[in-house]
Amino acid sequence: MSAYGVINRPQRTSYLPTTLWDHDSPRIESDLGTPSFVTIHHIDRAAVERIQTGLFNYLHCIFANEVDKGLTYPQEDISDPATFGAYFFGGDVLLAIAGKGDPPAIKSEGRGVREIEQSLEAARNGRTWEECVAGFYYVKPNYPGRSSHICNAGFMVPPSQRGSGYGHILAKSYLHYAPALGYKASVFNLVYNNNTASVKLWEALNFTKAGLIPKAGRLRRKDGEGEEYVDAIIFYKSFEETGPNTDNQ
């Protein structure tokens, strides 16, 4: 719960199309001439728990382990599945699946975004979730009511997939999906300034540093020796200035 109480996202009667994104990384092993790609899927908790066996538990495990490290998120414990579900799936959730085989046919394309028709199970292509999930994030209102047109998001790349460029793909897809969900702008409240990869990512995508909160996080030291207070950057971006996906370069 925020300082404003519970902030509910708008109810969805339909879900946004799956999209296809190119992925070039020296870490990815693929057959010569076979393009590497990622698909992004707009998912629903009820459908995930009903159809996609084990996916909710896998996402919860990855996120809970990251919280336990005490380096990037302000929560101290999110081991309870219900708590994770209310927090993460309280927003719209986008799931990235690393491509396997030939990329799916493009249904439509505009402003650099390619829409496809592919189910999550088809994208999984017989793999475990550990093998194919490249990352995931939520999008939800940052404020209630009259300011609910400004969203917030939380991103996660599984440790086994880090260093492969998936974080950049998630961020670029966010610039498409957040405006498509009806939001006019984005605010990230707490980007800890020792999270250099995240800071560089949002700077590269032309987010504005709207403020600095001194000693905003009581984080664990990376060397494991106790805790320290760390400053946090507030990042802001208007989607109306650029429109969806303008910065996806």
Side-chain angles (χ1 to χ4, degrees):
M1 184 179 296
S2 77
Y4 303 99
V6 176
I7 301 176
N8 296 315
R9 70 165 171 84
Q11 293 298 310
R12 306 292 177 202
T13 57
S14 62
Y15 287 81
L16 297 177
T18 299
T19 52
L20 176 69
W21 303 79
D22 291 332
H23 177 226
D24 298 315
S25 171
R27 277 193 57 188
I28 301 302
E29 298 180 2
S30 60
D31 295 334
L32 185 63
T34 301
S36 180
F37 62 93
V38 172
T39 55
I40 307 285
H41 305 255
H42 188 192
I43 64 173
D44 172 81
R45 179 182 178 181
V48 162
E49 292 184 314
R50 185 175 66 254
I51 302 171
Q52 306 300 335
T53 304
L55 178 56
F56 179 88
N57 290 340
Y58 176 65
L59 300 182
H60 175 216
C61 179
I62 292 297
F63 189 74
N65 287 342
E66 183 66 22
V67 167
D68 284 345
K69 292 176 184 177
L71 298 173
T72 54
Y73 278 84
Q75 294 95 330
E76 293 187 287
D77 176 43
I78 200 162
S79 58
D80 176 44
T83 302
F84 167 73
Y87 174 72
F88 216 95
F89 281 85
D92 290 279
V93 176
L94 287 305
L95 177 71
I97 300 294
K100 179 183 179 183
D102 295 327
I106 297 170
K107 178 183 177 183
S108 63
E109 184 171 2
R111 305 192 70 177
V113 176
R114 292 166 294 173
E115 296 182 356
I116 60 174
E117 289 186 349
Q118 186 184 55
S119 70
L120 188 53
E121 197 60 36
R124 185 184 183 186
N125 199 2
R127 295 170 290 174
T128 65
W129 297 119
E130 291 85 351
E131 291 172 324
C132 68
V133 171
F136 52 101
Y137 62 96
Y138 66 76
V139 185
K140 62 177 73 174
N142 196 57
Y143 312 104
R146 299 182 188 277
S147 294
S148 60
H149 57 284
I150 301 174
C151 66
N152 176 263
F155 297 80
M156 183 60 55
V157 175
S160 63
Q161 304 284 19
R162 292 175 187 173
S164 297
Y166 290 129
H168 188 65
I169 293 175
L170 295 181
K172 289 195 300 180
S173 74
Y174 174 64
L175 297 182
H176 162 68
Y177 279 106
L181 288 166
Y183 295 104
K184 304 298 184 184
S186 171
V187 166
F188 298 145
N189 304 300
L190 291 171
V191 179
Y192 296 122
N193 64 3
N194 63 348
N195 188 348
T196 54
S198 183
V199 171
K200 289 180 179 179
L201 179 58
W202 301 121
E203 288 177 337
L205 291 173
N206 299 318
F207 278 67
T208 299
K209 290 182 177 178
L212 180 73
I213 308 174
K215 298 183 177 180
R218 177 176 47 80
L219 307 184
R220 290 180 177 168
R221 295 180 184 272
K222 293 183 179 181
D223 62 8
E225 299 296 325
E227 297 178 331
E228 62 182 343
Y229 284 97
V230 176
D231 298 346
I233 301 167
I234 302 171
F235 277 107
Y236 170 83
K237 186 173 183 63
S238 171
F239 299 136
E240 294 185 310
E241 295 173 357
T242 59
N245 213 47
T246 298
D247 294 309
N248 291 5
Q249 302 298 324

